[in-house]
Amino acid sequence: MKKLTILTLLLIIGLGIFAQENKKPLTFDDILKWNRITETLISNDGNTIVYKSEPWKGDPIIKITGKDGDEIASLCCATNALITNDSKFVVFTIKPSEETIRELKLKKTKKEDMPQNKLGIYHLENNDIDTICNFKSFKLPEKWDGWLAYQIETEIVKDTNKVESEDEKEQEIKKESKKNGFKLV
């Protein structure tokens, strides 16, 4: 009986030692592949959950899910998501991909020629996305429905056919900038 107990104990210890040898060590590259959740939102009616899954290196993804956990949409390169008060729209910023920015910086592209952010508006009832180019910032009211304010950068085009008077020559058109402001919609 003693021999059987000792043999069983040695067998259990031996299996524990062999099980430890098969594990792969964790490397820094494995950690870079992990995603972290950095932004979470729940709509006022409780039917929609929005969260941003962001890898340590790469482009973030905003995921929109229903209350039962089914994924409604997955939006790549999106960030700063907000849900409207009436829970009908998800408004977010679409940034250019990190790979595109890196390639353009290696080519020494001017700041004016770099791709700009876009404003994305996801309609939860129709599953449609509207995008607005050359946008700077946006705001949503906390308690009002149906309102969205955003700033865009527009190109100022001079009319070449028009003959300018001396008064108009003196009045210069101010270009949009941080100092002068941007168009508000």
Side-chain angles (χ1 to χ4, degrees), residues 78-141:
T79 186
N80 300 334
L82 292 175
I83 302 173
T84 57
N85 188 47
D86 57 359
S87 303
K88 291 183 181 179
F89 300 96
V90 177
V91 183
F92 53 92
T93 304
I94 303 171
K95 294 187 175 187
S97 68
E98 285 187 15
E99 187 175 316
T100 305
I101 296 293
R102 184 176 170 273
E103 288 175 7
L104 291 173
K105 283 184 179 180
L106 288 175
K107 293 179 183 177
K108 298 182 180 179
T109 307
K110 293 181 182 178
K111 190 174 182 180
E112 304 88 42
D113 297 334
M114 295 289 264
Q116 294 184 346
N117 295 343
K118 297 178 184 177
L119 178 67
I121 304 169
Y122 186 83
H123 194 283
L124 291 169
E125 293 174 354
N126 301 342
N127 296 333
D128 290 335
I129 296 178
D130 294 327
T131 57
I132 298 166
C133 297
N134 298 336
F135 114 100
K136 293 294 177 188
S137 65
F138 73 94
K139 293 280 185 181
L140 280 175

Side-chain angles (χ1 to χ4, degrees), residues 8 10 13 27 38 42 51 53 56 65 73 77 79 103 110 114 118 120 127 129 132 138-140 164 168 172 177 184:
T8 307
L10 288 174
I13 293 172
T27 64
T38 55
I42 299 175
Y51 64 93
S53 174
W56 289 99
T65 60
C77 300
T79 186
E103 288 175 7
K110 293 181 182 178
M114 295 289 264
K118 297 178 184 177
N127 296 333
I129 296 178
I132 298 166
F138 73 94
K139 293 280 185 181
L140 280 175
E164 294 183 14
E168 291 176 354
E172 262 187 52
S177 65
L184 178 65

Side-chain angles (χ1 to χ4, degrees), residues 11-23:
L11 183 64
I12 292 171
I13 293 172
L15 289 175
I17 291 171
F18 288 118
Q20 297 297 325
E21 292 178 14
N22 294 336
K23 290 188 177 181

